[in-house]
Amino acid sequence: MNDTFLLALAMIPALVIAIVFHEVAHGWAALLLGDPTAQEQRRLTLNPIRHVDPVGTLLVPGALALAGMPVFGWAKPVPVNARRLRDPRTGMMAVAAAGPLTNLVLAALGAILLGLLARFVSAPAGGAFGYFVVTLQLFILVNIFLALFNLLPIPPFDGSHIVEGLLPRRAARIYDRFRPLGFPLLFVLLVAVPYLFPGAGIVENLVAPPVEWLEARYMALAGFVAGV
């Protein structure tokens, strides 16, 4: 098997776990804050099938990958009804933050497990053990990227709900009117701009630096656990 296939094979479980826990975290946060919508629609489950969006999870990322363009996609959002939250304004901020926070916690757990493997497991670098190590490394990276990418203040990302909650109410209402423009703006920033102006992409210039910084911190955690 070639390296590309093995990399994809390692990436799939990392992506599935990161996305599913991210979405379920939104639903549980909403439930704790008074909105049982996700529970009523049976979305508080770790079954990945319940969270797959055929277009956003499969068709769009696959088509972009085949075209050699920046890959992005989305899962089926867990339903949240802000009006059912006890405090809709701050509640939506907390619900939005729950997804990225969960990914950062998962990345920490992945780093700890990676450190424990290095400390207590003696196995050849290749084979099943090597595959598991690579999967853990990708798991850490995917969770960091998903957390920070979703904090961008562009609708429908989680960061847009946090910004909306921080803005004065009048400014928040104006900001909310631009929410339908979120997906076209994403297409421009993530696909059109990098295609027309290589090296000017939002991922490379805005998201990648903090992702790399955080990845180094998590690898330091793994090294600490391993006793290096």
Side-chain angles (χ1 to χ4, degrees):
M1 292 185 289
N2 58 44
D3 292 341
T4 302
F5 178 77
L6 289 175
L7 184 63
L9 201 60
M11 181 72 79
I12 290 171
L15 275 171
V16 169
I17 294 172
I19 290 174
V20 168
F21 273 80
H22 180 104
E23 291 300 328
V24 172
H26 288 316
W28 275 109
L31 180 63
L32 292 173
L33 295 172
D35 174 26
T37 304
Q39 183 184 51
E40 292 169 353
Q41 296 187 20
R42 297 187 300 168
R43 293 294 305 280
L44 297 183
T45 172
L46 296 179
N47 179 0
I49 296 176
R50 300 284 296 175
H51 303 284
V52 168
D53 182 303
V55 175
T57 311
L58 302 174
L59 295 181
V60 170
L64 291 173
L66 289 174
M69 303 177 76
V71 176
F72 71 94
W74 58 90
K76 187 187 299 181
V78 165
V80 176
N81 187 342
R83 296 177 182 177
R84 301 179 75 178
L85 296 170
R86 286 188 288 272
D87 184 342
R89 186 172 170 84
T90 59
M92 280 304 298
M93 292 175 63
V95 170
L101 180 60
T102 296
N103 288 126
L104 294 177
V105 171
L106 287 174
L109 293 175
I112 291 170
L113 182 54
L114 186 62
L116 291 173
L117 281 175
R119 184 166 189 162
F120 296 112
V121 178
S122 177
F129 179 78
Y131 167 78
F132 189 59
V133 168
V134 170
T135 301
L136 273 178
Q137 292 171 333
L138 286 172
F139 178 75
I140 295 167
L141 180 59
V142 163
N143 274 285
I144 296 171
F145 181 84
L146 189 61
L148 296 187
F149 193 65
N150 271 279
L151 288 174
L152 290 172
I154 303 171
F157 290 154
D158 300 326
S160 68
H161 294 290
I162 296 173
V163 168
E164 188 174 336
L166 292 173
L167 289 172
R169 292 184 182 276
R170 183 177 179 183
R173 287 194 293 270
I174 296 173
Y175 182 81
D176 184 61
R177 293 173 188 169
F178 290 95
R179 194 164 291 279
L181 300 177
F183 273 113
L185 180 60
L186 278 177
F187 180 84
V188 170
L189 293 175
L190 299 180
V191 179
V193 170
Y195 180 78
L196 296 174
F197 307 99
I202 188 173
V203 173
E204 296 88 342
N205 296 311
L206 187 60
V207 180
V211 167
E212 292 170 359
W213 185 87
L214 263 181
E215 184 184 16
R217 305 288 84 75
Y218 280 110
M219 288 300 103
L221 173 61
F224 175 78
V225 173
V228 176

